[in-house]
Coordinates of all heavy atoms in Angstrom, one line a residue:
M17 N 0.8 -1.2 0.0 CA 0.0 0.0 0.0 C 0.9 1.3 0.0 O 2.0 1.3 0.7 CB -0.8 0.0 1.3 CG -2.0 1.0 1.3 SD -3.1 1.0 2.7 CE -3.4 -0.8 2.7
E18 N 0.5 2.2 -0.8 CA 1.3 3.4 -0.9 C 0.7 4.6 0.1 O -0.3 5.2 -0.3 CB 1.2 3.9 -2.3 CG 1.7 3.0 -3.3 CD 3.2 3.0 -3.4 OE1 3.8 3.9 -3.1 OE2 3.7 1.9 -3.8
W19 N 1.4 4.6 1.2 CA 0.7 5.5 2.4 C 1.0 7.0 1.9 O 0.1 7.8 2.1 CB 1.4 5.3 3.6 CG 1.1 4.0 4.2 CD1 1.7 2.8 4.2 CD2 0.1 3.8 5.2 NE1 1.0 2.0 4.9 CE2 0.0 2.5 5.5 CE3 -1.0 4.6 5.8 CZ2 -0.9 2.0 6.5 CZ3 -1.9 4.2 6.6 CH2 -2.0 2.8 6.9
D20 N 2.0 7.4 1.2 CA 2.3 8.6 0.8 C 1.4 9.1 -0.3 O 1.4 10.3 -0.5 CB 3.7 8.8 0.5 CG 4.3 7.9 -0.6 OD1 3.6 6.9 -0.9 OD2 5.3 8.0 -1.0
R21 N 0.7 8.2 -1.0 CA -0.2 8.7 -2.1 C -1.6 9.1 -1.5 O -2.4 9.6 -2.3 CB -0.4 7.6 -3.1 CG 0.9 7.4 -3.9 CD 0.6 6.4 -5.0 NE 1.8 6.2 -5.8 CZ 1.9 5.3 -6.8 NH1 0.8 4.6 -7.2 NH2 3.0 5.2 -7.5
E22 N -1.8 8.8 -0.3 CA -3.2 9.2 0.2 C -3.1 10.6 0.6 O -2.1 11.2 0.8 CB -3.4 8.3 1.6 CG -3.5 6.8 1.3 CD -4.8 6.5 0.4 OE1 -5.8 7.1 0.7 OE2 -4.7 5.6 -0.4
T23 N -4.4 11.3 0.6 CA -4.5 12.6 0.9 C -4.1 13.0 2.4 O -3.4 14.0 2.6 CB -6.0 13.2 0.7 OG1 -6.7 12.2 1.5 CG2 -6.3 13.0 -0.8
H24 N -4.4 12.2 3.2 CA -3.9 12.4 4.7 C -3.1 11.2 5.1 O -3.4 10.5 6.1 CB -5.1 12.6 5.6 CG -5.8 13.7 5.3 ND1 -5.5 15.0 5.4 CD2 -7.1 13.9 4.7 CE1 -6.4 15.8 5.1 NE2 -7.4 15.2 4.6
G25 N -2.1 10.8 4.3 CA -1.3 9.6 4.5 C -0.6 9.6 5.9 O -0.6 8.5 6.6
R26 N -0.1 10.7 6.4 CA 0.7 10.6 7.6 C -0.4 10.5 8.7 O -0.1 9.8 9.7 CB 1.5 12.1 7.8 CG 2.8 12.0 7.1 CD 3.6 13.1 7.7 NE 4.9 13.2 7.2 CZ 5.9 12.6 7.6 NH1 5.7 11.7 8.5 NH2 7.1 12.5 7.0
L27 N -1.5 11.1 8.7 CA -2.5 11.0 9.8 C -3.0 9.6 9.8 O -3.2 9.0 10.9 CB -3.6 12.0 9.4 CG -4.8 12.1 10.5 CD1 -4.2 12.3 11.8 CD2 -5.9 12.8 10.0
L28 N -3.4 9.0 8.7 CA -3.6 7.6 8.7 C -2.5 6.6 9.2 O -2.9 5.6 9.9 CB -4.1 7.2 7.2 CG -5.3 7.9 6.6 CD1 -5.5 7.5 5.2 CD2 -6.5 7.4 7.4
A29 N -1.4 7.0 8.8 CA -0.3 6.0 9.3 C -0.2 6.3 10.8 O 0.0 5.2 11.6 CB 1.1 6.4 8.7
V30 N -0.2 7.4 11.4 CA -0.3 7.7 12.9 C -1.4 6.9 13.4 O -1.2 6.1 14.5 CB -0.3 9.1 13.2 CG1 -0.6 9.3 14.7 CG2 1.0 9.8 12.7
A31 N -2.7 7.0 12.8 CA -3.8 6.4 13.4 C -3.7 4.9 13.4 O -4.0 4.2 14.3 CB -5.0 6.8 12.7
Y32 N -3.1 4.4 12.3 CA -2.9 2.9 12.3 C -1.8 2.4 13.3 O -2.1 1.4 14.0 CB -2.4 2.5 10.9 CG -2.0 1.1 10.7 CD1 -2.9 0.0 11.2 CD2 -0.8 0.8 10.2 CE1 -2.5 -1.3 10.9 CE2 -0.4 -0.6 10.0 CZ -1.2 -1.6 10.3 OH -0.8 -2.9 10.3
A33 N -0.7 3.1 13.4 CA 0.4 2.7 14.3 C -0.2 2.7 15.8 O 0.2 1.8 16.6 CB 1.6 3.6 14.2
V34 N -0.8 3.8 16.1 CA -1.5 3.8 17.5 C -2.4 2.7 17.7 O -2.4 2.0 18.7 CB -1.9 5.3 17.7 CG1 -2.8 5.2 19.0 CG2 -0.9 6.3 17.8
G35 N -3.3 2.5 16.6 CA -4.4 1.7 16.8 C -3.7 0.2 16.9 O -4.2 -0.6 17.7
F36 N -2.7 -0.1 16.1 CA -2.1 -1.4 16.2 C -1.4 -1.7 17.6 O -1.5 -2.7 18.1 CB -1.2 -1.6 15.0 CG -0.8 -3.1 14.9 CD1 -1.5 -4.1 14.2 CD2 0.5 -3.6 15.4 CE1 -1.1 -5.4 14.1 CE2 0.9 -4.9 15.3 CZ 0.1 -5.8 14.6
G37 N -0.8 -0.7 17.9 CA -0.1 -0.7 19.3 C -1.1 -1.0 20.4 O -0.8 -1.7 21.3
A38 N -2.1 -0.2 20.5 CA -3.1 -0.4 21.4 C -3.8 -1.7 21.4 O -4.0 -2.4 22.4 CB -4.3 0.7 21.2
W39 N -4.0 -2.1 20.2 CA -4.7 -3.5 20.0 C -3.7 -4.6 20.6 O -4.2 -5.4 21.3 CB -4.9 -3.7 18.5 CG -5.3 -5.1 18.2 CD1 -6.6 -5.6 18.3 CD2 -4.6 -6.2 17.8 NE1 -6.6 -6.9 17.9 CE2 -5.4 -7.3 17.6 CE3 -3.2 -6.3 17.5 CZ2 -4.9 -8.5 17.1 CZ3 -2.6 -7.5 17.0 CH2 -3.5 -8.6 16.8
L40 N -2.6 -4.5 20.3 CA -1.5 -5.5 20.7 C -1.3 -5.4 22.3 O -1.3 -6.6 22.8 CB -0.2 -5.2 20.0 CG 1.0 -6.3 20.2 CD1 0.5 -7.6 19.8 CD2 2.3 -5.9 19.6
V41 N -1.1 -4.3 22.8 CA -1.0 -4.1 24.2 C -2.3 -4.7 24.9 O -2.2 -5.3 25.9 CB -0.7 -2.8 24.6 CG1 -0.9 -2.6 26.1 CG2 0.8 -2.3 24.2
G42 N -3.4 -4.4 24.3 CA -4.6 -4.9 24.9 C -4.8 -6.4 24.9 O -5.1 -6.9 25.9
V43 N -4.4 -7.0 23.8 CA -4.3 -8.5 23.6 C -3.4 -9.1 24.8 O -3.8 -10.0 25.6 CB -4.0 -9.0 22.3 CG1 -3.7 -10.5 22.3 CG2 -5.2 -8.6 21.4
L44 N -2.2 -8.5 24.8 CA -1.3 -8.9 25.8 C -1.7 -8.9 27.3 O -1.5 -9.7 28.1 CB 0.1 -8.5 25.6 CG 0.8 -8.7 24.3 CD1 2.1 -8.0 24.1 CD2 1.1 -10.3 24.1
W45 N -2.4 -7.6 27.4 CA -2.8 -7.4 28.8 C -3.9 -8.3 29.2 O -3.9 -8.8 30.4 CB -3.4 -5.9 28.8 CG -3.5 -5.3 30.2 CD1 -4.3 -5.8 31.3 CD2 -2.8 -4.2 30.7 NE1 -4.1 -5.0 32.4 CE2 -3.2 -4.0 32.0 CE3 -2.0 -3.3 30.2 CZ2 -2.8 -2.9 32.8 CZ3 -1.6 -2.1 30.9 CH2 -2.0 -2.0 32.1
I46 N -4.8 -8.7 28.2 CA -5.9 -9.6 28.6 C -5.3 -10.9 28.9 O -5.7 -11.7 29.9 CB -6.9 -9.6 27.5 CG1 -7.7 -8.4 27.3 CG2 -7.9 -10.8 27.6 CD1 -8.5 -8.2 26.0
L47 N -4.3 -11.4 28.1 CA -3.7 -12.7 28.3 C -3.0 -12.7 29.7 O -3.2 -13.8 30.4 CB -2.9 -13.0 27.1 CG -3.4 -13.3 25.8 CD1 -2.4 -13.5 24.7 CD2 -4.3 -14.5 26.0
Y48 N -2.3 -11.7 29.9 CA -1.6 -11.7 31.3 C -2.6 -11.8 32.4 O -2.3 -12.4 33.4 CB -0.6 -10.3 31.3 CG 0.0 -10.3 32.7 CD1 1.0 -11.1 33.0 CD2 -0.6 -9.3 33.6 CE1 1.6 -10.9 34.2 CE2 -0.1 -9.2 34.8 CZ 1.2 -10.0 35.2 OH 1.7 -9.9 36.5
S49 N -3.7 -11.0 32.3 CA -4.6 -10.9 33.4 C -5.3 -12.3 33.6 O -5.6 -12.8 34.6 CB -5.7 -10.0 33.1 OG -5.2 -8.6 33.0
Q50 N -5.4 -13.1 32.6 CA -6.0 -14.4 32.6 C -5.1 -15.4 33.3 O -5.6 -16.1 34.0 CB -6.6 -14.9 31.2 CG -7.8 -14.1 30.7 CD -8.1 -14.6 29.4 OE1 -7.4 -15.3 28.6 NE2 -9.3 -14.3 28.9
F51 N -3.9 -15.2 32.8 CA -2.9 -16.4 33.3 C -2.4 -16.0 34.7 O -2.1 -16.8 35.4 CB -1.7 -16.4 32.4 CG -2.0 -17.1 31.1 CD1 -1.8 -16.4 29.9 CD2 -2.5 -18.3 31.1 CE1 -2.1 -17.0 28.7 CE2 -2.9 -19.0 29.9 CZ -2.6 -18.3 28.7
A52 N -2.4 -14.7 35.1 CA -1.9 -14.3 36.4 C -3.1 -14.2 37.4 O -2.9 -13.6 38.5 CB -1.2 -12.9 36.3
A53 N -4.2 -14.5 37.0 CA -5.5 -14.4 37.9 C -5.6 -13.0 38.4 O -5.8 -12.7 39.6 CB -5.4 -15.4 39.1
G54 N -5.5 -12.0 37.4 CA -5.7 -10.7 37.7 C -7.1 -10.3 38.1 O -8.0 -11.1 37.9
S55 N -7.3 -9.1 38.4 CA -8.5 -8.6 38.9 C -9.3 -8.2 37.6 O -8.9 -8.1 36.5 CB -8.5 -7.3 39.8 OG -7.9 -6.3 39.0
V56 N -10.7 -7.9 37.8 CA -11.6 -7.5 36.9 C -11.2 -6.2 36.3 O -11.3 -6.0 35.1 CB -13.0 -7.5 37.4 CG1 -13.9 -7.0 36.3 CG2 -13.4 -8.9 37.8
G57 N -10.6 -5.3 37.1 CA -10.2 -4.0 36.6 C -9.0 -4.1 35.6 O -9.0 -3.4 34.5
Q58 N -8.2 -5.1 35.8 CA -7.0 -5.3 34.8 C -7.6 -5.8 33.4 O -7.1 -5.3 32.6 CB -6.0 -6.4 35.5 CG -5.1 -5.8 36.5 CD -4.2 -6.9 37.1 OE1 -4.5 -7.9 36.8 NE2 -3.2 -6.4 37.7
M59 N -8.6 -6.7 33.6 CA -9.2 -7.1 32.4 C -10.0 -6.1 31.6 O -9.8 -6.1 30.4 CB -10.2 -8.3 32.7 CG -10.7 -9.1 31.6 SD -9.6 -10.1 30.8 CE -9.5 -11.5 31.9
V60 N -10.5 -5.2 32.4 CA -11.3 -4.2 31.7 C -10.3 -3.2 31.0 O -10.6 -2.7 29.9 CB -12.1 -3.3 32.7 CG1 -12.7 -2.0 32.2 CG2 -13.3 -4.2 33.2
V61 N -9.1 -2.9 31.6 CA -8.2 -2.0 30.8 C -7.7 -2.7 29.7 O -7.7 -2.0 28.6 CB -6.9 -1.8 31.8 CG1 -5.7 -1.2 31.0 CG2 -7.2 -1.1 33.0
G62 N -7.4 -4.0 29.5 CA -7.1 -4.7 28.4 C -8.2 -4.7 27.3 O -7.8 -4.4 26.0
I63 N -9.3 -4.8 27.8 CA -10.6 -4.9 26.8 C -10.7 -3.5 26.1 O -10.8 -3.2 25.0 CB -11.9 -5.3 27.5 CG1 -11.7 -6.8 27.8 CG2 -13.1 -5.0 26.6 CD1 -12.9 -7.4 28.8
V64 N -10.5 -2.3 27.1 CA -10.7 -1.0 26.5 C -9.6 -0.7 25.4 O -9.8 -0.1 24.4 CB -10.7 -0.1 27.6 CG1 -10.5 1.5 27.1 CG2 -11.8 -0.1 28.5
L65 N -8.3 -1.2 25.7 CA -7.2 -0.9 24.8 C -7.5 -1.8 23.5 O -7.3 -1.2 22.5 CB -6.0 -1.3 25.5 CG -5.4 -0.4 26.5 CD1 -4.1 -1.1 27.2 CD2 -4.9 0.9 25.8
F66 N -7.9 -3.0 23.7 CA -8.2 -3.7 22.5 C -9.3 -3.1 21.7 O -9.1 -3.1 20.4 CB -8.6 -5.1 22.9 CG -9.2 -6.1 21.7 CD1 -8.2 -6.8 21.0 CD2 -10.4 -6.2 21.6 CE1 -8.6 -7.6 20.0 CE2 -10.9 -7.0 20.6 CZ -10.0 -7.6 19.7
A67 N -10.3 -2.6 22.3 CA -11.5 -2.0 21.5 C -11.1 -0.6 20.9 O -11.4 -0.4 19.8 CB -12.7 -1.8 22.5
I68 N -10.2 0.1 21.6 CA -9.7 1.4 20.9 C -8.9 1.0 19.7 O -9.0 1.6 18.5 CB -8.9 2.2 21.9 CG1 -9.9 2.7 23.0 CG2 -8.1 3.2 21.2 CD1 -9.1 3.4 24.1
G69 N -8.1 0.1 19.8 CA -7.2 -0.4 18.7 C -8.0 -0.9 17.5 O -7.7 -0.6 16.4
Q70 N -8.9 -1.7 17.8 CA -9.7 -2.3 16.7 C -10.6 -1.2 16.1 O -10.8 -1.1 14.8 CB -10.7 -3.4 17.2 CG -10.2 -4.8 17.1 CD -9.6 -5.2 15.6 OE1 -10.3 -5.0 14.8 NE2 -8.5 -5.7 15.7
G71 N -11.0 -0.2 16.8 CA -11.7 1.0 16.3 C -10.9 1.8 15.4 O -11.3 2.0 14.3
L72 N -9.7 2.0 15.8 CA -8.8 2.8 14.9 C -8.5 2.0 13.6 O -8.3 2.6 12.4 CB -7.5 3.2 15.6 CG -7.7 4.3 16.7 CD1 -6.5 4.5 17.4 CD2 -8.0 5.6 15.9
I73 N -8.2 0.7 13.8 CA -7.9 -0.1 12.6 C -9.0 -0.2 11.6 O -8.9 0.0 10.4 CB -7.4 -1.5 13.0 CG1 -6.1 -1.5 13.7 CG2 -7.4 -2.4 11.8 CD1 -5.6 -2.7 14.3
T74 N -10.2 -0.2 12.1 CA -11.5 -0.3 11.3 C -11.7 1.1 10.5 O -12.0 1.0 9.4 CB -12.6 -0.7 12.1 OG1 -12.4 -1.9 12.8 CG2 -14.0 -0.7 11.3
I75 N -11.4 2.1 11.2 CA -11.4 3.5 10.6 C -10.6 3.7 9.4 O -10.9 4.1 8.3 CB -11.4 4.6 11.6 CG1 -12.6 4.5 12.7 CG2 -11.3 5.9 11.0 CD1 -12.5 5.4 13.7
V76 N -9.3 3.3 9.8 CA -8.2 3.3 8.7 C -8.5 2.4 7.5 O -8.4 2.7 6.3 CB -6.8 3.1 9.4 CG1 -5.8 3.0 8.2 CG2 -6.5 4.1 10.3
A77 N -9.0 1.2 7.7 CA -9.3 0.2 6.8 C -10.5 0.9 6.0 O -10.5 0.6 4.7 CB -9.7 -1.2 7.3
F78 N -11.5 1.3 6.5 CA -12.6 1.9 5.8 C -12.2 3.0 5.0 O -12.6 3.3 3.7 CB -13.8 2.4 6.7 CG -15.0 2.9 6.2 CD1 -15.7 2.0 5.5 CD2 -15.1 4.2 5.9 CE1 -16.9 2.5 5.0 CE2 -16.4 4.7 5.4 CZ -17.3 3.7 4.8
T79 N -11.1 3.8 5.3 CA -10.6 5.0 4.6 C -9.8 4.5 3.4 O -9.9 5.1 2.2 CB -9.9 5.9 5.5 OG1 -10.6 6.2 6.6 CG2 -9.4 7.1 4.7
L80 N -9.1 3.4 3.6 CA -8.2 2.8 2.6 C -8.7 1.8 1.7 O -8.2 1.2 0.8 CB -7.0 2.2 3.2 CG -6.1 3.1 3.9 CD1 -5.0 2.4 4.6 CD2 -5.6 4.4 3.2
R81 N -10.2 1.4 1.9 CA -10.8 0.5 1.1 C -10.7 0.7 -0.4 O -10.8 -0.3 -1.2 CB -12.2 0.2 1.5 CG -13.2 1.3 1.0 CD -14.5 1.2 1.7 NE -15.4 2.2 1.1 CZ -15.5 3.4 1.5 NH1 -14.6 3.9 2.6 NH2 -16.3 4.3 1.1
R82 N -10.6 1.9 -0.9 CA -10.4 2.1 -2.4 C -9.3 1.7 -2.9 O -9.3 1.6 -4.2 CB -10.9 3.7 -2.7 CG -9.8 4.5 -2.0 CD -10.1 6.1 -2.4 NE -9.2 6.9 -1.6 CZ -9.4 7.4 -0.4 NH1 -10.4 7.0 0.2 NH2 -8.5 8.2 0.1
N83 N -8.3 1.3 -2.2 CA -7.0 0.8 -2.8 C -7.0 -0.7 -3.1 O -6.2 -1.2 -3.6 CB -5.8 0.9 -1.8 CG -5.5 2.5 -1.6 OD1 -5.7 3.3 -2.5 ND2 -5.0 2.8 -0.5
F84 N -8.2 -1.3 -2.7 CA -8.3 -2.8 -3.0 C -9.5 -3.1 -3.9 O -10.6 -2.3 -3.8 CB -8.4 -3.5 -1.7 CG -7.3 -3.4 -0.7 CD1 -7.2 -2.4 0.1 CD2 -6.3 -4.2 -0.9 CE1 -6.2 -2.1 1.0 CE2 -5.3 -4.0 -0.1 CZ -5.2 -3.2 0.8
Q85 N -9.5 -3.9 -4.7 CA -10.6 -4.3 -5.7 C -11.5 -5.4 -5.0 O -11.0 -6.3 -4.4 CB -10.1 -4.8 -7.0 CG -9.4 -3.8 -7.8 CD -8.9 -4.3 -9.1 OE1 -9.1 -5.5 -9.4 NE2 -8.4 -3.6 -10.0
T86 N -12.7 -5.1 -5.1 CA -13.7 -6.2 -4.6 C -13.7 -7.4 -5.4 O -13.6 -7.4 -6.6 CB -15.1 -5.7 -4.6 OG1 -15.1 -4.5 -3.7 CG2 -16.1 -6.8 -4.1
S87 N -13.6 -8.7 -4.8 CA -13.6 -9.9 -5.4 C -14.7 -10.8 -5.0 O -15.4 -10.3 -4.1 CB -12.3 -10.6 -5.2 OG -12.1 -10.9 -3.9
R88 N -14.7 -12.0 -5.4 CA -15.7 -12.9 -4.9 C -15.5 -13.4 -3.5 O -16.3 -13.6 -2.7 CB -15.8 -14.0 -5.8 CG -16.5 -13.9 -7.2 CD -16.7 -15.1 -7.9 NE -17.3 -15.0 -9.1 CZ -17.8 -16.0 -9.9 NH1 -17.5 -17.1 -9.6 NH2 -18.5 -15.6 -10.9
A89 N -14.2 -13.3 -3.2 CA -13.8 -13.9 -1.9 C -14.0 -12.8 -0.8 O -14.3 -13.2 0.4 CB -12.3 -14.3 -1.9
A90 N -13.6 -11.6 -1.1 CA -13.7 -10.5 0.0 C -14.0 -9.2 -0.6 O -13.5 -8.9 -1.7 CB -12.3 -10.6 0.8
S91 N -14.6 -8.3 0.1 CA -14.9 -7.0 -0.2 C -13.6 -6.1 0.0 O -12.6 -6.6 0.5 CB -15.9 -6.4 0.5 OG -15.5 -6.2 1.8
S92 N -13.6 -4.9 -0.6 CA -12.2 -4.2 -0.5 C -12.1 -3.8 0.9 O -10.9 -3.8 1.3 CB -12.5 -2.9 -1.5 OG -13.6 -2.2 -1.1
F93 N -13.1 -3.6 1.7 CA -13.0 -3.2 3.1 C -12.3 -4.4 3.9 O -11.4 -4.3 4.7 CB -14.3 -2.8 3.7 CG -14.2 -2.7 5.2 CD1 -13.5 -1.7 5.9 CD2 -14.8 -3.7 5.9 CE1 -13.5 -1.7 7.2 CE2 -14.7 -3.7 7.4 CZ -14.1 -2.6 7.9
S94 N -12.8 -5.5 3.6 CA -12.4 -6.8 4.3 C -10.9 -7.1 4.0 O -10.2 -7.5 4.9 CB -13.1 -8.0 3.9 OG -14.4 -8.0 4.3
Q95 N -10.5 -6.9 2.7 CA -9.1 -7.0 2.4 C -8.2 -6.0 3.0 O -7.1 -6.3 3.5 CB -8.9 -6.8 0.9 CG -9.6 -8.0 0.0 CD -9.5 -7.7 -1.5 OE1 -8.6 -6.9 -1.9 NE2 -10.4 -8.3 -2.3
A96 N -8.7 -4.7 3.1 CA -8.0 -3.8 3.8 C -7.8 -4.0 5.3 O -6.7 -3.9 5.8 CB -8.6 -2.4 3.5
W97 N -8.9 -4.4 5.9 CA -9.0 -4.6 7.3 C -8.1 -5.8 7.7 O -7.3 -5.9 8.7 CB -10.3 -4.9 7.8 CG -10.4 -5.2 9.2 CD1 -10.6 -4.2 10.2 CD2 -10.5 -6.4 9.9 NE1 -10.6 -4.8 11.4 CE2 -10.6 -6.3 11.2 CE3 -10.5 -7.8 9.5 CZ2 -10.7 -7.2 12.2 CZ3 -10.4 -8.9 10.5 CH2 -10.6 -8.5 11.8
Q98 N -8.0 -6.9 6.8 CA -7.2 -8.0 7.1 C -5.8 -7.7 7.1 O -4.9 -8.2 7.9 CB -7.6 -9.2 6.2 CG -8.9 -9.9 6.5 CD -9.4 -10.6 5.3 OE1 -8.7 -10.9 4.3 NE2 -10.7 -11.2 5.5
R99 N -5.3 -7.0 6.0 CA -3.9 -6.5 5.8 C -3.5 -5.7 7.2 O -2.4 -5.9 7.6 CB -3.8 -5.8 4.7 CG -3.7 -6.6 3.3 CD -3.2 -6.1 2.1 NE -1.8 -5.6 2.3 CZ -0.8 -6.4 2.1 NH1 -0.9 -7.6 1.8 NH2 0.4 -5.8 2.1
L100 N -4.3 -4.8 7.6 CA -4.1 -4.0 8.7 C -4.0 -4.7 9.9 O -3.1 -4.4 10.8 CB -5.0 -2.7 8.8 CG -5.0 -1.7 7.6 CD1 -6.1 -0.8 7.7 CD2 -3.6 -1.0 7.6
S101 N -5.0 -5.6 10.1 CA -5.0 -6.3 11.5 C -3.9 -7.3 11.6 O -3.5 -7.6 12.6 CB -6.3 -7.1 11.5 OG -7.5 -6.2 11.6
M102 N -3.5 -7.8 10.5 CA -2.3 -8.7 10.6 C -1.0 -8.0 10.7 O 0.1 -8.8 10.9 CB -2.3 -9.6 9.3 CG -3.4 -10.7 9.3 SD -3.1 -11.9 8.1 CE -3.5 -10.8 6.4
G103 N -0.9 -6.8 10.5 CA 0.2 -5.9 10.8 C 1.2 -6.0 9.4 O 2.2 -5.5 9.5
L104 N 0.5 -6.3 8.3 CA 1.4 -6.4 7.1 C 1.7 -4.9 6.7 O 2.6 -4.8 5.9 CB 0.6 -7.0 6.0 CG 0.3 -8.5 6.3 CD1 -0.6 -9.1 5.2 CD2 1.5 -9.3 6.5
E105 N 0.8 -3.9 7.0 CA 1.2 -2.5 6.6 C 1.9 -1.7 7.7 O 2.1 -0.5 7.7 CB -0.1 -1.8 6.2 CG -0.7 -2.5 5.1 CD 0.0 -2.4 3.8 OE1 0.7 -1.5 3.6 OE2 -0.1 -3.3 3.0
L106 N 2.3 -2.3 8.8 CA 2.9 -1.6 9.9 C 4.3 -1.0 9.5 O 4.6 0.1 9.8 CB 3.1 -2.4 11.2 CG 3.4 -1.8 12.4 CD1 2.4 -0.7 12.8 CD2 3.5 -2.7 13.6
G107 N 5.1 -1.8 8.7 CA 6.4 -1.4 8.3 C 6.3 -0.3 7.3 O 7.1 0.7 7.7
P108 N 5.6 -0.2 6.3 CA 5.6 0.9 5.6 C 4.9 2.2 6.2 O 5.3 3.3 5.8 CB 4.5 0.4 4.4 CG 4.6 -1.1 4.4 CD 4.8 -1.5 5.6
A109 N 4.0 2.0 7.1 CA 3.4 3.1 7.8 C 4.5 3.7 8.8 O 4.6 5.0 8.9 CB 2.4 2.7 8.7
V110 N 5.3 2.9 9.3 CA 6.4 3.5 10.3 C 7.4 4.1 9.5 O 8.0 5.2 9.9 CB 7.0 2.3 11.2 CG1 8.1 2.8 11.9 CG2 5.9 1.9 12.2
R111 N 7.8 3.5 8.3 CA 8.8 4.1 7.5 C 8.4 5.5 7.0 O 9.2 6.4 7.0 CB 9.1 3.3 6.3 CG 10.1 2.1 6.6 CD 10.7 1.5 5.3 NE 9.7 0.8 4.8 CZ 9.2 -0.4 4.9 NH1 9.8 -1.2 5.9 NH2 8.3 -0.9 4.1
L112 N 7.1 5.7 6.7 CA 6.6 6.9 6.2 C 6.8 8.0 7.5 O 7.1 9.1 7.3 CB 5.0 6.9 5.8 CG 4.5 8.2 5.6 CD1 5.0 8.8 4.3 CD2 3.0 8.0 5.5
L113 N 6.4 7.6 8.6 CA 6.4 8.5 9.7 C 7.9 8.9 10.2 O 8.1 9.9 10.6 CB 5.8 7.7 11.1 CG 4.3 7.5 10.9 CD1 3.8 6.8 12.1 CD2 3.6 8.8 10.8
L114 N 8.8 7.9 10.0 CA 10.2 8.2 10.2 C 10.9 8.9 9.0 O 12.0 9.4 9.2 CB 11.0 7.0 10.5 CG 10.6 6.2 11.8 CD1 11.3 4.9 12.0 CD2 10.7 7.0 13.0
G115 N 10.2 9.1 8.0 CA 10.7 9.9 6.8 C 11.7 9.1 6.0 O 12.6 9.7 5.4
R116 N 11.6 7.8 5.9 CA 12.6 7.1 5.2 C 12.1 6.5 3.9 O 11.0 6.3 3.5 CB 13.0 5.7 5.9 CG 13.7 6.0 7.3 CD 14.1 4.8 7.9 NE 14.6 5.0 9.3 CZ 14.9 4.1 10.1 NH1 14.6 3.0 9.9 NH2 15.3 4.5 11.2

């Protein structure tokens, strides 16, 4: 994906990087709380981070859906969401933010 060709490419890259980070920390926090017999409060923090991360990833995927063609297997939004959720676009987004 060409992040620098988007109209607000840097803003989308920041939203994606923050969203992916929040999603990842949320998942790890939830897993840690489950294995360490953490309190319900710890679990809620992980769930909130996970939800914020998924929300940001979904917003970015909806914005970038026009970069993908709809096929029989998946819509353009689904293709964008899957690539973003798997972290396949994290490297190019971070490179854009670092100016490389």
Side-chain angles (χ1 to χ4, degrees):
M17 187 175 318
E18 303 285 333
W19 287 92
D20 52 351
R21 289 188 182 176
E22 294 296 320
T23 54
H24 299 287
R26 280 194 175 276
L27 180 63
L28 290 172
V30 167
Y32 173 55
V34 169
F36 191 82
W39 173 83
L40 185 62
V41 169
V43 167
L44 294 175
W45 198 302
I46 291 168
L47 290 174
Y48 175 76
S49 295
Q50 288 179 347
F51 290 124
S55 67
V56 175
Q58 287 180 339
M59 187 73 75
V60 169
V61 170
I63 291 170
V64 168
L65 286 171
F66 175 81
I68 289 170
Q70 272 304 314
L72 286 172
I73 288 172
T74 302
I75 290 169
V76 173
F78 186 77
T79 305
L80 297 176
R81 73 188 185 281
R82 65 182 169 271
N83 292 332
F84 298 92
Q85 294 180 353
T86 301
S87 66
R88 286 185 174 188
S91 68
S92 57
F93 168 73
S94 294
Q95 292 175 26
W97 183 82
Q98 289 168 4
R99 287 191 61 83
L100 293 172
S101 292
M102 289 189 291
L104 298 176
E105 298 297 331
L106 191 58
V110 170
R111 278 195 294 279
L112 173 70
L113 294 176
L114 294 176
R116 295 182 188 171

